[in-house]
């Protein structure tokens, strides 16, 4: 844990007291989003202290020129940047002609941030003595509408406390913004028009290169003394447009500016209709008003929570943690647009660029499958199908042929945009996660339609890749896979990473199986696909040979699969025996030292045991967990959740609980000392899994859903719902009993402690 | 071979005919240097075609901010750039007010470049019809003085052919220059003063950050019709200063501008005395005149050639090749300044930054030992001693302790300035080459003084590094070295690179041996060094354990040491079986494909067989050569020479000859398609070795110099001289006989064909 200033609360994230040191961290934690746009918790009024400004529009990015020391063949030309978009939240405030700036106020007290996750609204309030000695009380509420996802709303109230004062509000739009992350100091936005019409303003701007056209817009109204007060045209220049509201405010009274603002984008409208679309959106919002729109917001969030909430009793911090994770996942991706995906930082920062990693398939899809309609997860699968051609191009660029596909490590539009050879070219297990998600989707939802329609083509191209990526070792008389980086990125360019080899073999086997299944069940699709891919029996035979003769490094003495060839040559000192001052090693050690150490950034062999747990006995899991976990430093946000699930499976509840806390409060408590840069969105789905799959022990085995619930000592009870094949199942676990309720059935309560429960669609059976 | 336009000639490099496509290539090939400064063969007059401008001052560099995708702990903050220095050669020429520019002339004929290597002078001549239809004949001679190494001289003659014309010369200095290689478009030079005084001009400028103060200076005189014509003050601005000479020139007559110019630098003078120093240098040069200075130049080069020339009879291209190599080595480094070293591109380009690689120790020192006074090689060794503290710092930064040193991969001042983790952190065999050079120096020169004075400290720090860099593998019951890159950079982050392990063991053994020797022979030095390094017997014991129990990957089936663990898992297709279109693989293949292939960039196991050939039998050499060479693509300039030497040793003269041609004419024939970027200076020493150690079979064994001369079929005879322990030995090999002459002895001729000859200082014995 690196920080401890967030107040524990079941439904809210709360900060109390103003500390400049926490501003950037809180800007991340109190971020809001609605799947289409997002906003860091920057102040509306000017702030001259340290801040990281961020407004983001889903799917709007910039292909920044790649920055490398030495160019390598096959590197992508660009690195996609998440772009800070024009500012729509800004409201300059002047009190008796002095601009309000918390950094220069004489006193700031009663400062409080509250992110109400139940309602999807962020409130900030404080009292201040301005630099010209005016005492005021400020309350600001802000939300991004889930119902009208192009708009956000702000209510900015100032109460003048002791003496009358003249208050000027200058709500503005600003496209003269910069990015924290820029390789070459290129300009990212080009503004073509700024306009002010009545109480509204518009800035039309497009991104350079990608040419996403946007209209950033706003409307503002002032309420004082029960009246609406009209504003005037404010300032306007090439990248700025503002309105101005001036009012004498009597001591003890409150004045409120309401501002609506947001973006219309050429991704969703015709480029020449963006201003019109903005006006339409504003008309809707104004007719509802701030309060009306907020009522809808509460309902929308209530409906999300209705399905996805996890209730934990007796452990407020754990409760706050899981809700924060579920809330952020829903802020980031709602499954309404199959061109979008789940960026590792969501709408909370710029780091990592790109929007899509293997995190989506390996970590996020289970959450979306279980807490939403099937269609949401299917959209995520379809996203990859839509990128298949580009994945084939990508593989071709690297020397593969015959329709082999290598999906990118990081992407916005299907093109690779990461450029470290050890990742881009070698961390190829991502291809396997994409195939696994296809399997997982069918396993969980029972919906086979994606495979004949699209998935089989993806599987064929992935199988082709693996088949070409291995080579036959005369020495081992086996197929080997040289030069890869596994999920544990603290190893680069290793040979025969067990996880990758296992996944490759599985992909081939699974593809062959699906080919048979589609051939028999969907002959039209089969013929279409065979015609398109020109797949022959001979090719399939050749795949089979690889799958059957794959090399898996194994050590007899320890009885474990080896993470890679030669793993046992390392100096096997356990993490707990390292000096504390050496941790985290990624901040303390040089890269070569990390690489030759045995330390594991995140589950690698154990990731395979997680994906394919049915292939291994509990005894094998225990052996591998006991061998690898002591070398694991969990310096990836994706690490603790998998270990929490496996510790729970092994009945090690204390360890599982500790991993759970670490994954669920990773950002709230800033374990990795980097929350300023944004939140770890994709690992949040892993947190959800730690409860449902970990403590709850949910599994799908042979088309049946099963649970094996346990409960950490620290909790009185916990409950969650999952949507399994369109049946809602509610599970409530207390220290004494477990209750299951299938939608449409009556509640069934069973005394269970670690016993296994299998749920058929209509019955509950303990085994 | 990629180009074939250089005319064969024994002493000159000649280009005939003007082809814009060859300009950048010729700018590299016709470069001149004098160890203190260098100049690409840029035209003096303006040229609007494609050109790569380069003027360089030895030891003047810029620490450009490192450019990486993702920062890794331990990376150096900067990447040293070889800097294009202010232009002193420029002479704008106007004929009847039209500026001369070969790119826009109506006709250019009789264009000829000649680099006279015997005399160290570069001549360019051509006839042109200018764009305003004036016919002229131009001859320009240029050299950088070896005697006054701060100055260069230019004689620029124009003959007006058919009609009288007004000729204006505008000789200038210009510090408004740019670098080809710049990471962040930073400004590299800051000009503080420009001045014109009489017929002289000065620009004072310093490099940013490193603050090397320089004065770029010139003086010019015009000769016409037997008279000296005075010039006028030309243009002057913040970064430019010129003189102007205007003259009516009668048809059929010639006008000549003589320009002296160069640099005085704060590395060699007090910063506030640079202009004074420049004036002093100019006075000297002017008093000698162009012809006088050129006479000295011829003498200086004659004296260099006297010792270092290799004469080849019957093969003009081979003769031209070897002289080009010897010439360039002497242009780059003359051993007069122990702060300097031998940059991989010398003074001919910017690529690779830095000045010092392991090339110096592994390739260049033998050349300088044999063709110069001992002191020159000793200066190169001392250079590393002077950087020992920084090498210890560098290792400390990476987590090593107790005075372990890791010398940088690339350096200017002892600090690492390369930033790819697989090179910077892992290509650590460089440390071994530095130790080997100490051994090699003593073996060849018989001068032990360096070891007690300085070398032993270097050896101790290097032994400490190896001792810490290995770890004990319980699995192998041996010490292993994980995560290294060998000389073959087409493998990264491998385990137990045989060459590196062998070198490490050797370093430890050799250091222990020298400790004993110094203890017994130089007790004062020994006590000083033990006091300083705090070396204990216990530490030495621990080193010994490592040396004795080092793991060396070996394969019984092939009977060869393996380049690294797992090498035999590769798909072992020989280079000759690759499609031609796949070559060179570094231009055609993605990096991952190269890495997992068996292809070898340059000698790796065979580099070890080269360094330590006495440790292996001829049969072993043959086995390893036959195993590895077929997988070697020789895409490093340092590759063909080692293979040429070993092919010769194996009596495979045709193969040895082909490797020789490839190494000796690498740049002249542009084998690697990159000569535009500059010449491969350090590999030129390898070319010299191919003859002396390869064909000549020169070895030092047990304090005795031996030869085993052979001759390629294509040659009638060849001869060279070497300085062995201050005795000059001249060797002349013809197809029929070999003649040896020791300085002070009479010539001894022996019929030899592959027989071994051992030379004691005073006698010649065949064995």
């Amino acid at each position: 844990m690196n920080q401890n200033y967030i107040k524990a609360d079941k439904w809210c994230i709360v900060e109390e007291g103003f500390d400049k040191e926490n501003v950037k961290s809180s800007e991340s934690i109190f971020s809001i989003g609605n799947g289409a746009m997002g906003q860091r918790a920057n102040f509306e009024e000017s702030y001259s202290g340290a801040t990281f400004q961020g407004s983001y529009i889903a799917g709007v990015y910039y292909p920044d020129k790649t920055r490398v020391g030495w160019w390598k063949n096959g590197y992508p030309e660009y690195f996609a940047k998440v772009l800070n978009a024009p500012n729509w939240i800004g409201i300059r405030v002047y009190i008796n002609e002095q601009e309000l700036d918390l950094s220069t106020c004489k006193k700031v007290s009663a400062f409080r941030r509250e992110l109400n996750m139940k309602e999807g609204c962020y409130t900030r309030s404080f009292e201040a003595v301005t630099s010209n000695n005016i005492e005021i009380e400020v309350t600001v509420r802000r939300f991004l509408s889930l119902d009208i996802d192009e708009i956000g709303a702000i209510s900015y109230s100032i109460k003048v406390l002791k003496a009358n004062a003249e208050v000027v509000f200058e709500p503005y739009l600003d496209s003269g913004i910069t990015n924290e992350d820029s390789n070459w100091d290129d300009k990212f936005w080009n503004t073509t028009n700024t306009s002010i019409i009545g109480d509204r303003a518009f800035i039309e701007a497009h991104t350079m290169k990608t040419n996403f056209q946007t209209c950033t817009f706003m409307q503002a109204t002032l309420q004082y003394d029960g009246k609406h007060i009209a504003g005037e045209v404010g300032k306007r220049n090439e990248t700025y447009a503002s309105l101005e509201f001036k009012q004498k405010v009597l001591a003890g009274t409150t004045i409120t500016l309401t501002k609506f603002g947001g973006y219309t984008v050429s991704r969703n409208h015709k480029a020449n209709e963006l201003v019109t679309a903005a006006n339409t959106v504003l008309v809707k919002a104004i007719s509802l008003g701030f309060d009306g729109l907020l009522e809808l917001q509460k309902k929308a969030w209530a409906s999300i929570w209705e399905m996805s909430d996890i209730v934990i009793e007796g452990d407020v911090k754990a409760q706050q943690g899981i809700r924060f994770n579920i809330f952020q996942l829903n802020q980031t991706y709602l499954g309404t647009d199959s061109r979008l995906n789940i960026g590792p930082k969501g709408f909370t920062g710029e780091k990592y660029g790109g929007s899509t990693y293997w995190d989506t398939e390996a970590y996020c899809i289970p959450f979306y499958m279980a807490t939403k309609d099937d269609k949401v997860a299917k959209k995520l699968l379809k996203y990859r199908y839509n990128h298949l051609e580009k994945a084939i191009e990508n593989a071709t660029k690297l020397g593969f042929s015959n329709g082999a596909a290598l999906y990118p490590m990081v992407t916005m539009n299907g093109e690779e945009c990461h450029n470290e050879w050890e990742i881009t070219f070698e961390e190829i297990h991502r291809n396997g996660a994409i195939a696994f998600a296809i399997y997982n989707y069918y396993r969980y939802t029972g919906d086979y339609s994606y495979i004949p329609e699209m998935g089989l083509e993806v599987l064929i191209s992935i199988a082709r890749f693996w088949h070409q990526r291995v080579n036959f070792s005369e020495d081992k008389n086996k197929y080997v896979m040289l030069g890869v980086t596994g999920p544990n990125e603290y190893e680069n360019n290793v040979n025969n990473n067990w996880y990758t080899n296992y996944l490759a073999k599985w992909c081939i086997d699974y593809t062959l199986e699906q080919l048979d299944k589609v051939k028999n069940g969907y002959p039209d699709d089969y013929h279409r696909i065979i015609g398109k891919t020109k797949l022959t029996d001979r090719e399939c035979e050749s795949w089979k040979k690889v799958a059957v003769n794959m090399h898996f490094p194994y050590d007899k003495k320890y009885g474990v699969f080896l993470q890679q060839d030669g793993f046992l040559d390392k100096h096997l000192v356990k993490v707990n025996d390292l000096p504390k001052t050496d941790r985290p090693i990624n901040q303390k050690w040089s890269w070569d030292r990390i690489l030759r150490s045995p330390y594991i950034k995140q589950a690698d062999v154990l990731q395979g045991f997680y994906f394919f747990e049915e292939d291994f006995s509990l005894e094998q899991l225990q052996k591998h967990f006991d061998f690898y976990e002591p070398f694991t430093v969990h310096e990836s946000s994706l690490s603790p959740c998998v270990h929490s699930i496996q510790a729970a499976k092994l009945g090690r509840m204390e360890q599982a609980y500790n991993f759970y806390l670490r994954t669920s409060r990773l950002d709230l408590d800033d374990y990795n000392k980097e929350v300023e840069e944004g939140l770890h969105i994709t690992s949040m789905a892993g947190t959800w899994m730690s409860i449902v799959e970990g403590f709850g022990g949910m599994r799908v085995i042979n088309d049946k859903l099963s649970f094996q619930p346990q409960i950490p000592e620290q909790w009185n009870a916990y409950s969650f719902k999952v949507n399994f094949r369109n049946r809602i199942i509610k599970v409530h676990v207390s220290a004494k009993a477990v209750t299951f309720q299938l939608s449409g059935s009556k509640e069934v309560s069973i005394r269970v402690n670690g016993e296994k429960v299998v749920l058929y669609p209509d019955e509950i059976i303990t085994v």
Side-chain angles (χ1 to χ4, degrees), chain A:
Chain A
M1 198 190 298
N2 187 43
Q3 68 185 19
N4 192 19
Y5 72 85
I6 299 296
K7 303 285 165 253
D9 183 282
K10 289 183 183 176
W11 273 112
C12 293
I13 307 298
V14 178
E15 175 185 7
E16 283 172 355
F18 183 61
D19 184 342
K20 288 183 187 182
E21 293 299 310
N22 292 338
V23 167
K24 285 166 83 174
S25 162
S26 290
E27 283 174 339
S28 295
I29 291 173
F30 292 85
S31 288
I32 52 176
N34 66 1
M37 59 198 275
Q39 177 62 50
R40 282 173 61 85
N42 305 129
F43 300 158
E44 288 81 2
E45 76 276 4
S46 297
Y47 179 65
S48 58
T51 168
F52 169 15
Q53 297 285 309
S55 307
Y56 307 104
I57 308 172
V60 170
Y61 64 96
Y62 179 83
D64 208 7
K65 253 189 307 173
T66 289
R67 180 171 72 191
V68 293
W70 293 78
W71 187 263
K72 304 246 194 289
N73 283 330
Y75 272 165
E77 295 293 325
Y78 70 91
F79 186 90
K81 289 273 178 279
V82 169
L83 273 198
N84 184 17
N87 179 336
W88 70 266
I89 65 162
I91 303 171
R92 289 180 207 282
V93 176
Y94 300 85
I95 316 281
N96 286 357
E97 296 185 354
Q98 177 68 47
E99 185 165 9
L100 174 63
D101 173 352
L102 285 191
S103 184
T104 59
C105 278
K106 291 206 167 151
K107 192 180 166 193
V108 178
S109 55
F111 181 88
R112 189 172 195 278
R113 299 191 197 237
E114 180 187 288
L115 181 60
N116 184 325
M117 300 185 286
K118 191 171 186 182
E119 303 182 347
C121 185
Y122 163 57
T123 305
R124 177 173 58 107
S125 54
F126 57 86
E127 290 174 28
V129 181
T130 62
S131 54
N132 55 346
N133 289 312
I134 317 294
E135 290 177 47
I136 55 171
E137 198 181 289
V138 174
T139 302
V140 193
R141 286 181 298 158
R142 184 160 86 199
F143 64 93
L144 299 183
S145 171
L146 290 182
D147 295 271
I148 310 174
D149 70 4
E150 289 168 323
I151 211 161
I154 300 168
S155 159
Y156 199 110
S157 294
I158 301 177
K159 184 174 181 184
V160 174
L161 293 180
K162 296 210 172 144
N164 303 349
E166 186 199 65
V167 173
V168 175
F169 286 103
E170 186 187 326
Y172 65 88
L173 304 175
D174 181 8
S175 61
I177 37 87
T178 57
N179 246 51
E180 291 268 312
D181 182 16
S182 154
N183 286 349
W184 300 89
D185 299 328
D186 285 353
K187 207 179 142 192
F188 294 153
W189 289 94
N190 188 18
T191 306
T192 52
N193 194 34
T194 62
S195 55
I196 302 172
I197 300 165
D199 58 358
R200 300 179 190 177
F202 306 89
I203 289 188
E204 290 159 85
H206 60 261
T207 55
M208 313 291 279
K209 292 193 194 171
T210 35
N211 202 29
F212 290 110
Q213 313 269 339
T214 62
C215 171
T216 308
F217 59 85
M218 69 167 182
Q219 186 267 4
T221 337
L222 194 66
Q223 293 93 18
Y224 182 61
D225 195 19
K227 282 173 274 188
H228 283 267
I229 293 146
E232 285 170 26
V233 170
K235 301 191 186 83
R236 191 169 80 83
N237 65 33
E238 281 173 9
T239 56
Y240 189 89
S242 69
L243 301 168
E244 195 180 303
F245 298 84
K246 195 182 282 187
Q247 179 64 38
K248 264 242 135 66
V249 180
L250 300 179
T253 67
T254 300
I255 185 165
T256 299
L257 185 90
T258 304
K259 180 179 182 182
F260 291 110
Y263 310 101
T264 49
V265 190
S266 59
R267 293 178 72 256
N268 305 314
H269 300 277
K270 287 185 185 158
N272 59 357
E273 293 175 3
L274 297 179
V275 177
T276 309
N279 271 305
T280 308
V281 168
L282 279 174
V283 166
K284 252 198 251 177
I286 293 161
S287 76
L288 288 161
F290 183 89
D291 292 333
L293 201 59
L294 182 55
E295 275 314 303
L296 292 178
Q297 180 81 346
K298 290 176 188 174
K299 280 184 197 150
W301 273 104
S303 133
I304 290 173
W305 286 116
E306 166 61 25
M307 185 57 216
S308 63
D309 191 23
I310 294 181
V311 180
I312 296 173
E313 292 167 40
D315 188 341
V316 179
K317 281 196 151 194
Q319 174 69 80
Q320 185 181 40
I322 187 63
R323 284 197 173 127
F324 184 65
N325 285 262
I326 296 168
F327 179 70
Q328 292 296 349
L329 283 164
N330 279 290
Q331 289 209 121
T332 304
Y333 183 78
L334 288 159
T336 47
D337 185 340
S338 65
R339 297 166 302 171
L340 296 179
N341 210 289
I342 307 148
K345 296 247 162 257
F347 298 118
T348 70
E350 301 168 6
K351 202 178 170 184
Y352 300 127
S355 73
T356 314
Y357 285 63
W358 70 292
D359 306 24
T360 294
E361 281 76 15
Y363 292 86
C364 299
I365 277 182
F367 168 79
Y368 286 103
M369 285 194 304
T371 67
K372 310 262 179 217
D373 189 275
D374 287 1
K375 290 191 191 89
V376 172
K378 196 168 177 183
K379 272 197 182 115
L380 290 171
L381 296 189
K382 200 177 160 198
Y383 176 93
R384 294 292 193 178
Y385 178 71
N386 290 338
H387 290 174
L388 178 58
E389 280 312 307
K390 291 214 165 134
I392 293 173
E393 265 174 47
N394 184 39
T396 308
K397 220 166 97 176
L398 303 189
F400 297 87
S401 55
N402 187 35
L406 176 60
Y407 277 91
M409 189 68 199
V410 186
T411 193
M412 277 291 187
N413 65 351
E415 290 168 41
E416 176 65 80
C417 51
H418 187 93
N419 60 335
E420 292 181 302
W421 63 264
E422 61 274 23
I423 305 293
T424 310
F425 300 157
E426 297 206 336
E427 200 175 334
I428 52 179
H429 66 81
R430 60 194 186 243
N431 245 12
I434 288 163
F436 182 81
I438 295 173
Y439 157 76
N440 203 16
Y441 173 78
Y442 168 59
R443 171 173 71 168
Y444 191 87
T445 66
D447 168 21
Y448 195 72
S449 66
Y450 178 71
I451 294 181
E453 283 169 22
M454 305 179 222
L456 187 57
E457 285 177 58
V458 173
L459 291 172
I460 290 169
S461 286
I462 287 175
R464 281 176 161 163
F465 173 81
W466 292 123
H467 173 246
Q468 291 173 39
R469 188 57 165 73
V470 298
N471 68 273
F472 189 73
S473 161
E474 301 282 348
D475 197 51
K476 291 199 163 62
N477 199 29
K478 287 278 181 186
Y479 285 93
V480 293
M481 190 152 13
L482 308 180
V484 305
T485 295
N488 169 18
E489 290 170 330
Y490 289 175
E491 300 282 352
N492 289 163
N493 195 43
V494 300
N495 296 333
N496 295 306
N497 171 260
W498 177 83
Y499 171 75
T500 308
N501 285 17
Y502 199 85
L503 206 52
K505 174 194 159 53
W506 176 87
C507 283
I508 292 176
D509 287 341
Y510 184 67
T511 304
L512 290 169
E513 210 177 272
Q514 298 318 303
L515 273 164
D516 257 5
K517 215 166 152 182
V518 173
K519 187 177 185 177
N520 296 325
Y522 306 80
D524 289 354
D525 285 313
Y526 183 78
H527 290 300
R528 175 181 54 77
I529 292 165
I530 295 299
K532 190 170 169 189
T533 59
K534 314 255 183 295
L535 183 70
T536 64
D537 288 347
R538 209 174 140 186
E539 195 181 343
C540 293
E541 283 309 312
S542 180
W543 292 359
K544 251 178 235 168
K545 253 171 62 186
V546 168
V548 170
N549 296 299
M550 186 74 86
H551 166 63
F552 298 110
Y554 181 79
D555 183 74
K556 278 185 192 158
K557 185 177 145 204
Y558 290 100
V560 294
F561 292 110
L562 294 180
Q563 186 179 278
Q564 71 247 11
D565 283 350
F567 184 81
L568 291 181
D569 281 338
K570 289 169 181 280
H571 187 45
L572 297 172
V573 173
K574 294 182 179 174
V575 175
N576 282 340
D577 297 330
L578 282 180
K580 283 238 166 63
T581 48
D582 284 15
R583 306 276 311 278
I585 61 172
N586 68 8
Q587 289 175 23
K588 301 299 179 68
W589 283 11
S590 66
W591 189 242
D592 66 306
R593 194 172 174 194
I594 290 174
L595 288 178
R596 59 182 196 271
S597 82
Y599 303 117
I600 301 171
K601 186 181 175 193
Q602 70 183 94
D604 193 293
V605 171
L606 293 180
Q607 181 73 33
F609 273 70
Y610 170 67
F611 273 176
F612 304 109
E613 61 177 342
E614 293 154 71
D615 298 358
F616 307 100
S617 68
L618 201 63
E619 191 199 338
Q620 276 178 301
L621 173 63
Q622 185 186 315
K623 215 172 232 180
H624 285 79
F625 191 90
D626 287 345
F627 184 78
Y628 286 109
E629 199 287 324
F631 298 117
T632 306
V633 288
H634 305 290
E635 290 174 10
S636 158
S637 65
L638 299 173
S639 190
C641 54
V642 170
H643 288 85
S644 180
I645 295 168
Q646 290 176 335
K649 188 170 178 183
L650 294 170
R652 299 173 182 179
M653 286 303 285
E654 191 59 29
Q655 201 177 9
Y657 176 75
N658 287 331
F659 281 129
Y660 166 77
L661 268 199
R662 184 159 172 172
T663 181
S664 69
R665 298 190 59 89
L666 177 70
D667 290 320
L668 292 178
D669 296 340
D670 198 14
Y671 277 88
N672 289 359
K673 303 187 185 181
E674 55 183 18
V675 74
E676 288 186 359
E677 298 169 346
L679 306 176
H680 296 85
I681 299 296
T682 47
S683 75
M684 292 180 171
T687 303
W688 177 89
M689 296 195 301
S690 314
I691 294 188
V692 175
E693 301 182 8
F695 302 148
M698 182 180 83
R699 298 289 185 279
V700 184
I701 300 169
N702 297 329
D703 270 2
K704 296 170 191 76
L705 194 66
S706 74
F707 293 90
Q708 196 162 4
Q710 298 175 85
I711 185 166
E713 264 185 22
Q714 292 82 351
W715 297 359
N716 299 328
Y718 65 99
S719 55
F720 57 85
K721 283 184 188 165
V722 295
N723 170 0
F724 178 68
R725 305 192 175 184
N726 301 320
R727 301 290 301 274
I728 309 296
I729 298 144
K730 187 177 171 185
V731 181
H732 181 273
V733 184
S734 77
K736 295 186 182 160
V738 180
T739 311
F740 295 96
Q741 186 175 18
L742 275 73
S743 48
S745 312
K746 64 179 174 132
E747 197 177 289
V748 179
S749 176
I750 303 170
R751 285 184 55 90
V752 179
N753 204 350
E755 283 175 67
K756 194 164 178 178
V757 178
V758 178
L759 270 72
Y760 287 86
D762 294 314
E763 47 188 337
I764 295 170
I765 302 169
T766 57
V767 289

